[in-house]
């Protein structure tokens, strides 16, 4: 039976997933800016990693549902209440039909993720529901909005015990206002000569104009020693650019796919999640690691998620709930298939 | 990679989830064909772990899932593929479909046409004539699916605007340096705005969302302001040459 969520107060909230993979069509990636928090949220309620979920920025959110659901809230520090009773983030909670869920961002961090057991029914584009502000696509929630959710298995066995369903061990990143962001050497590292050292000596202030497209970081910046215009090239998520004399631009998941700036460093996949939780005024430092080390860290995170999934498999089944996931997959979003193949055979 | 190839092709790490390949043959056309052909191969053969490719003029960004694959693995596969990339396969990308694109030039649609005509010391009519003279090849897809084109054959390159506009409307036909572009969705832009097309190039309500690919061309033709509505809902590809 489909459930319906009623958003009583949305604040800044969207329905998103892990992102769109259609850069060959010039389309930005987008998707949950803190990917780890989004994956954990979905896993806690038995969803696939890539299932649509709600991303809130500076959460100020109230919602009810018309049937019993499992929910989880992850990400920034927040005050969570169900029918007025204080709850915690990073755990699996029942939300019974008619109960009021409230989420208020409190303390460090910027973005919260709310997962709901089942599949939120929202429009998709090229394999993803992730909003794209450049092309004007996506589900931005507003007060009074209703969102359908389709269950894979109805939660008939779910009894409201007035306590959370599970609090499995999730390795959490420390959250404070002095984030350390890991980067690797960028493809144009050597074009910056000795000035590249500034990137690691300086503390950068997160600027107010930062958003899902790019983070603006104020401080002493490295200076490109080579002159000459660059042809447009594809730029990766996390590319560090120096477009002005007093500001760095770090491209996040909403970035345009090409740019004509040199890239001295690239923020790691794990570092991008940390950037997603930093907010204007935070003091940020960069830490350089070898590519090999960065790979090790992202794979360690993958092992943690895999472990969490196997724990949740047991816990949920113990409550008579079947998770939606295929135990073999590790949650990579499906790729948008080429439309060219159907348009005209080669 | 053979020694000869290694001199022309560099592949650099681009973070923990991407590589950037750059082709440096003396022939710019060959650079473009090489990165485009590699991009098509990576997609069509669905190389495991590859999440996305962004081929441009002489470079190719390959994004991947660092759990499924890594730099070393992809570098090896791409190097082997390069060895067998022959001229015939490169040639397949060279000629594509020509799309005819109506444009209202000048006035509020193309406020920079006068200054461009002054800088080029050409009458406005000739500027429009040059822009519409030949089909301009799509070299790559940029932000939001914008077709990055070869520039029109002006006698000299056109400088960017001193003060970039904070927003230009969708359909804006813009030029800078030896490049041209059609802006698919409202965006900031520092290029010279010559005109605007009523066609919708990227449409999220449609599948496919865009009809062209690198190697295709756009051929502009001038229309009057009064003809705007006539073309407004016409899909790209259904307009014949005038």
């Amino acid at each position: 039976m489909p459930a319906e969520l009623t958003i009583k107060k949305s604040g800044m909230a969207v329905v998103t997933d892990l992102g769109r993979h259609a850069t060959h069509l010039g389309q930005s990636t987008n998707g949950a800016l803190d990917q780890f928090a989004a994956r954990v949220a979905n896993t806690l309620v038995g969803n696939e990693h890539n299932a649509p979920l709600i991303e809130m920025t500076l959460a100020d959110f109230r919602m009810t549902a018309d049937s019993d659901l499992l929910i989880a809230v992850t990400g920034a520090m927040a005050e969570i209440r169900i029918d007025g009773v204080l709850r915690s983030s990073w755990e699996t909670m029942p939300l019974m039909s008619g109960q009021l869920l409230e989420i208020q961002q409190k303390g460090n961090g910027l973005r919260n993720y709310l997962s709901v057991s089942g599949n939120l029914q929202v429009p998709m584009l090229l394999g993803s529901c992730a909003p794209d502000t450049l092309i004007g696509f996506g589900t931005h929630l507003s007060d009074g909005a209703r969102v359908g959710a389709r269950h894979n298995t109805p939660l008939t066995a779910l009894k409201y015990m007035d306590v959370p369903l599970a609090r499995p061990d999730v390795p959490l990143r420390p959250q404070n206002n002095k984030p350390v962001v890991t980067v690797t050497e960028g493809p144009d590292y050597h074009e910056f000569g000795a000035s590249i050292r500034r990137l690691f000596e300086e503390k950068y202030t997160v600027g107010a104009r930062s958003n899902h497209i790019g983070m603006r970081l104020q401080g002493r910046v490295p200076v490109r020693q080579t002159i000459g215009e660059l042809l447009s090239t594809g730029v990766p998520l996390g590319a560090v650019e120096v477009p002005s004399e007093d500001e760095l631009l770090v491209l996040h998941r909403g970035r345009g796919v090409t740019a004509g700036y040199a890239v001295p460093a690239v923020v790691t996949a794990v570092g991008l999640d940390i950037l997603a939780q930093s907010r204007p005024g935070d003091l940020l430092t960069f830490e350089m690691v070898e590519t090999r080390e960065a790979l090790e860290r992202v794979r360690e995170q993958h092992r943690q998620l895999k472990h969490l999934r196997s724990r949740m498999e047991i816990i949920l089944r113990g409550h008579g709930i079947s998770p939606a996931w295929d135990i073999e997959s590790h949650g990579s979003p499906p790729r948008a298939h080429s439309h060219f193949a159907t348009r005209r055979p080669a | 990679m053979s020694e000869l190839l290694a001199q022309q092709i560099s592949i650099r790490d681009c973070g923990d989830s991407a590589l950037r390949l750059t082709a440096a043959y003396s022939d710019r056309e060959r650079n473009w064909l090489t990165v485009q052909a590699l991009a098509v191969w990576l997609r069509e053969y669905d190389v495991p772990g590859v999440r996305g490719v962004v081929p441009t003029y002489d470079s190719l960004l390959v994004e991947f899932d660092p759990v499924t694959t890594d730099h070393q693995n992809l570098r090896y596969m791409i190097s082997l593929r390069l060895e067998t990339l022959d001229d015939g396969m490169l040639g397949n990308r060279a000629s594509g479909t020509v799309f005819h694109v109506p444009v209202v030039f000048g006035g509020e649609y193309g406020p920079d046409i006068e200054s461009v005509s002054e800088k080029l010391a050409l009458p406005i009519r000739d500027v429009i004539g040059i822009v519409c003279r030949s089909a301009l090849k799509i070299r790559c897809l940029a932000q939001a699916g914008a077709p990055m084109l070869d520039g029109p054959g002006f006698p000299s390159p056109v400088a960017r605007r001193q003060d970039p506009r904070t927003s230009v409307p969708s359909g804006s036909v813009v030029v800078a340096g030896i490049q041209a572009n059609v802006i698919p969705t409202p965006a900031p832009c520092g290029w010279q705005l010559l005109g605007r097309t009523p066609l919708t190039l990227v449409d999220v309500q449609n599948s496919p969302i865009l009809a062209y690919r690198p190697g295709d061309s756009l051929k502009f033709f001038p229309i009057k302001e009064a003809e705007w509505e006539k073309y407004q809902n016409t899909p790209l590809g259904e307009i014949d040459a005038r």
Side-chain angles (χ1 to χ4, degrees):
Chain A
M1 205 182 73
E4 192 174 66
L5 314 180
T6 302
I7 313 301
K8 303 279 186 189
K9 190 167 198 326
S10 65
M12 238 191 290
V14 297
V15 180
T16 192
D17 54 24
L18 295 181
R20 185 170 292 113
H21 293 299
T23 50
H24 64 290
L25 300 177
Q27 303 308 311
S28 306
T29 313
N30 287 296
L33 290 175
D34 183 344
Q35 295 261 301
F36 181 73
R39 284 174 189 260
V40 171
N42 269 327
T43 306
L44 287 171
V45 299
N47 286 348
E48 280 286 6
H49 286 171
N50 195 36
L53 81 175
I54 296 172
E55 179 184 76
M56 306 164 200
T57 305
L58 286 170
D60 181 13
F61 186 86
R62 291 202 304 272
M63 176 193 100
T64 58
D66 67 356
S67 61
D68 302 347
L69 297 167
L70 289 181
I71 63 162
V73 180
T74 63
M77 294 167 77
E79 195 174 283
I80 304 158
R81 288 175 191 276
I82 294 179
D83 271 355
V85 179
L86 210 53
R87 296 291 180 207
S88 297
S89 45
W90 306 96
E91 59 188 37
T92 309
M93 304 179 278
L95 179 74
M96 309 308 273
S97 171
Q99 283 189 323
L100 179 68
L101 168 69
E102 295 172 275
I103 306 170
Q104 278 284 332
Q105 208 271 334
K106 286 263 165 76
N108 291 315
L110 185 64
R111 295 186 167 92
N112 282 106
Y113 295 87
L114 165 65
S115 60
V116 170
S117 54
N119 243 317
L120 295 180
Q121 303 294 300
V122 288
M124 306 284 281
L125 176 69
L126 298 165
S128 167
C129 71
D132 185 325
T133 52
L134 297 178
I135 55 169
F137 174 82
T139 305
H140 297 258
L141 297 176
S142 53
D143 295 355
R146 287 162 192 273
V147 183
R150 196 167 293 157
H151 291 266
N152 297 294
T153 47
L155 304 177
T156 45
L158 190 63
K159 285 193 215 70
Y160 185 55
M161 297 176 289
D162 212 22
V163 291
L165 197 81
R167 184 173 181 82
D169 189 24
V170 180
L172 299 182
R173 297 183 305 261
Q175 266 180 5
N176 57 47
N177 54 9
K178 294 185 180 57
V180 178
V181 173
T182 48
V183 297
T184 59
E185 213 172 86
D188 310 312
Y189 181 87
H190 297 287
E191 293 191 10
F192 289 78
S195 79
I196 194 70
R197 278 172 30 212
R198 289 181 194 167
L199 199 58
F200 307 104
E201 291 166 357
E202 189 76 357
K203 285 194 190 326
Y204 291 96
T205 309
V206 176
R209 283 163 63 227
S210 300
N211 60 17
H212 63 290
I213 295 175
M215 306 286 297
R216 308 269 173 176
L217 305 176
Q218 280 125 27
R220 274 191 340 136
V221 299
V223 181
R224 184 166 170 243
Q225 312 288 308
T226 335
I227 42 170
E229 287 269 309
L230 291 166
L231 277 173
S232 295
T233 62
V235 282
L237 303 183
V240 177
E241 295 178 349
V242 192
S244 79
E245 286 170 10
D246 53 4
E247 205 175 61
L248 295 176
L249 175 63
V250 182
L251 300 179
H252 219 299
R253 301 184 68 84
R255 61 87 173 83
V257 295
T258 62
Y261 291 107
V263 177
V266 183
V267 173
T268 61
V270 175
L272 278 171
D273 288 353
I274 291 168
L275 270 182
Q277 295 295 359
S278 64
R279 55 198 221 179
D282 283 1
L283 269 186
L284 183 149
T285 46
F286 289 111
E287 175 203 19
M288 172 77 111
V289 296
E290 296 285 327
T291 303
R292 187 187 301 267
E293 167 70 15
L295 277 175
E296 204 32 64
R297 291 190 195 184
V298 69
R299 287 171 179 174
E300 172 57 25
Q301 206 172 58
H302 170 67
R303 283 189 286 273
Q304 292 166 354
L305 284 162
K306 216 170 162 182
H307 177 70
L308 177 65
R309 181 180 279 203
S310 62
R311 289 294 306 140
M312 289 311 301
E313 172 87 21
I314 295 165
I315 292 166
L316 292 173
R317 286 196 190 284
H319 285 271
I321 301 161
S322 312
W325 53 63
D326 162 11
I327 201 72
E328 291 307 312
S329 86
H330 73 264
S332 284
R335 277 190 286 162
H337 283 283
S338 169
H339 66 272
F340 299 129
T342 54
R343 184 162 72 96
R344 50 177 174 208
Chain B
M1 212 183 307
S2 73
E3 232 175 273
L4 187 68
L5 258 178
Q7 288 167 13
Q8 327 277 10
I9 303 282
S10 69
I11 304 178
R12 295 189 192 168
D13 292 359
C14 215
D16 57 18
S17 309
L19 286 173
R20 187 167 86 190
L21 175 144
T22 308
Y25 299 105
S26 52
D27 176 4
R28 286 169 54 177
E29 195 69 12
R30 187 182 181 88
N31 292 334
W32 177 73
L33 288 168
T34 302
V35 298
Q36 297 293 332
L38 277 174
V40 168
W41 170 69
L42 284 162
R43 285 191 48 78
E44 283 183 354
Y45 289 81
D46 214 11
V47 174
V50 173
R51 278 178 178 161
V53 290
V54 185
T56 57
Y57 297 86
D58 61 352
S59 79
L60 169 67
L61 180 78
V62 182
E63 294 177 288
F64 55 85
D65 170 14
V67 173
T68 309
T69 186
D70 57 36
H71 308 73
Q72 199 185 336
N73 190 26
L74 282 171
R75 197 177 255 123
Y76 178 66
M77 293 176 71
I78 291 169
S79 304
L80 287 179
R81 187 69 191 101
L82 274 166
E83 303 270 1
T84 55
L85 210 58
D86 60 42
D87 289 354
M89 291 157 72
L90 293 179
N92 284 342
R93 308 288 305 160
S95 58
T97 308
V98 178
F99 295 102
H100 296 272
V101 178
V103 179
V104 181
F105 285 97
E108 60 168 303
Y109 297 86
D112 295 331
I113 204 158
E114 282 176 27
S115 62
V116 168
S117 108
E118 276 167 34
K119 279 174 205 143
L120 293 172
L122 288 171
I124 288 177
R125 203 183 48 209
D126 290 5
V127 172
I128 297 173
I130 293 171
V131 172
C132 296
R133 191 169 57 202
S134 47
L136 307 176
K137 185 169 281 186
I138 299 173
R139 291 296 173 177
C140 59
L141 304 186
Q143 179 166 310
M148 295 279 265
L149 305 165
D150 280 340
F154 290 140
S156 58
V158 176
R160 287 168 191 238
R161 283 175 57 85
Q162 294 285 336
D163 51 332
R165 288 190 171 84
T166 51
S167 182
V168 299
S170 58
S172 293
V173 175
V174 296
V175 293
I178 50 165
Q179 292 181 297
N181 195 358
V182 186
I183 308 295
T185 57
C189 186
W191 294 22
Q192 305 283 357
L193 178 45
L194 301 185
R196 202 189 326 156
T197 177
L199 302 186
T200 302
L201 265 64
V202 177
D203 186 354
V204 297
Q205 306 299 333
N206 253 346
S207 179
I209 62 164
L210 49 82
Y212 47 82
R213 62 174 177 175
D216 291 342
S217 301
L218 302 187
K219 191 163 192 310
F220 298 117
F221 64 92
I223 59 166
K224 296 193 179 70
E225 197 177 342
E227 295 175 282
W228 181 274
E229 279 180 24
K230 179 178 141 192
Y231 288 105
Q232 207 163 16
N233 296 312
T234 317
L236 186 68
E238 286 183 17
I239 297 173
D240 293 327
R242 265 216 184 161

